[in-house]
């Protein structure tokens, strides 16, 4: 019987590749699931200071859904650095724009620890694509049916 907590070493970590289809998925629920997998908190041997998460590939990221009126009411702000330089854009404009995958990317990024080198490294293990194809077939990724995990994970309209 061990009386110490087992702590993972970076060399002992076995990373898996997973694919998630984001079509009709609710953004917040999907982002929290992805953040958990990136950090490795789904593992029984999770160690907070070691990168023990999986590589996550998200397809159909431009087809995510928001609940309620968030598509028109949710606003993303940024500042240009100049006086009076606050800018804003709604979630609907971003999803209809040139880079709709940024909605999911920002949601996941904001669920990871802030200002951390480990979190920045874990974000590099996230790959987001707007189509159903991805170039990571050689890694033999495991497909996770996110929609079937909970009825609330998917929004039809």
């Amino acid at each position: 019987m061990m009386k110490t907590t087992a702590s993972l070493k970076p060399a002992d970590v076995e990373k898996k590749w997973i694919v998630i289809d984001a079509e009709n998925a609710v953004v917040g629920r999907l982002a929290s699931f992805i953040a958990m997998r990136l950090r490795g908190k789904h593992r029984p041997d999770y160690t907070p200071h070691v990168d023990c998460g999986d590589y996550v590939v998200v397809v159909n990221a431009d087809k995510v859904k928001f609940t309620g009126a968030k598509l028109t009411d949710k606003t993303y702000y940024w500042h240009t650095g100049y006086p009076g330089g606050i800018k804003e854009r709604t979630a609907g404009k971003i999803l209809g724009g040139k880079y709709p995958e940024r909605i999911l990317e920002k949601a996941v990024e904001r669920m990871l620890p802030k200002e951390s080198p480990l979190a920045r490294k874990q974000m590099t293990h996230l790959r987001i694509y707007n189509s159903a194809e991805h170039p990571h077939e050689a890694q033999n990724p495991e497909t996770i049916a996110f929609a079937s995990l909970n009825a609330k994970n998917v929004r039809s309209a």
Side-chain angles (χ1 to χ4, degrees):
M1 187 73 117
M2 286 180 53
K3 292 191 179 199
T4 60
T5 303
S7 183
L8 270 182
K9 309 252 182 315
D12 299 339
V13 176
E14 292 180 23
K15 291 181 169 290
K16 294 192 317 186
W17 283 75
I18 62 170
V19 173
I20 301 172
D21 188 5
E23 188 167 4
N24 295 327
V26 177
V27 172
R29 288 174 165 269
L30 180 61
S32 66
F33 181 79
I34 292 170
M36 180 190 67
R37 295 302 290 237
L38 284 174
R39 292 218 53 208
K41 293 189 103 170
H42 63 286
R43 298 172 56 119
D45 56 355
Y46 167 70
T47 308
H49 65 277
V50 175
D51 182 15
C52 55
D54 295 334
Y55 289 90
V56 179
V57 178
V58 181
V59 294
N60 294 322
D62 55 342
K63 296 180 177 82
V64 293
K65 302 288 183 192
F66 283 98
T67 57
K70 290 188 192 95
L71 199 61
T72 56
D73 294 349
K74 184 169 181 61
T75 308
Y76 293 91
Y77 295 97
W78 70 97
H79 198 281
T80 62
Y82 289 96
I86 189 123
K87 303 275 186 169
E88 64 179 45
R89 197 168 288 150
T90 63
K93 279 191 176 182
I94 296 173
L95 275 177
K98 190 173 180 183
Y99 302 105
E101 68 274 5
R102 288 184 182 166
I103 290 275
L104 193 57
E105 183 180 342
K106 278 295 180 191
V108 172
E109 181 182 313
R110 290 168 179 172
M111 290 184 185
L112 292 176
K114 310 299 182 271
E115 299 299 321
S116 156
L118 181 61
R120 284 191 292 271
K121 184 177 181 187
Q122 288 167 343
M123 270 305 287
T124 64
H125 299 160
L126 174 64
R127 311 295 163 90
I128 302 177
Y129 299 100
N130 289 330
S131 64
E133 294 86 32
H134 61 86
H136 305 289
E137 289 300 328
Q139 283 77 22
N140 298 323
E142 170 191 339
T143 302
I144 293 184
F146 177 73
S148 65
L149 294 178
N150 189 335
K152 294 180 180 180
N153 288 349
V154 179
R155 207 33 89 147
S156 60

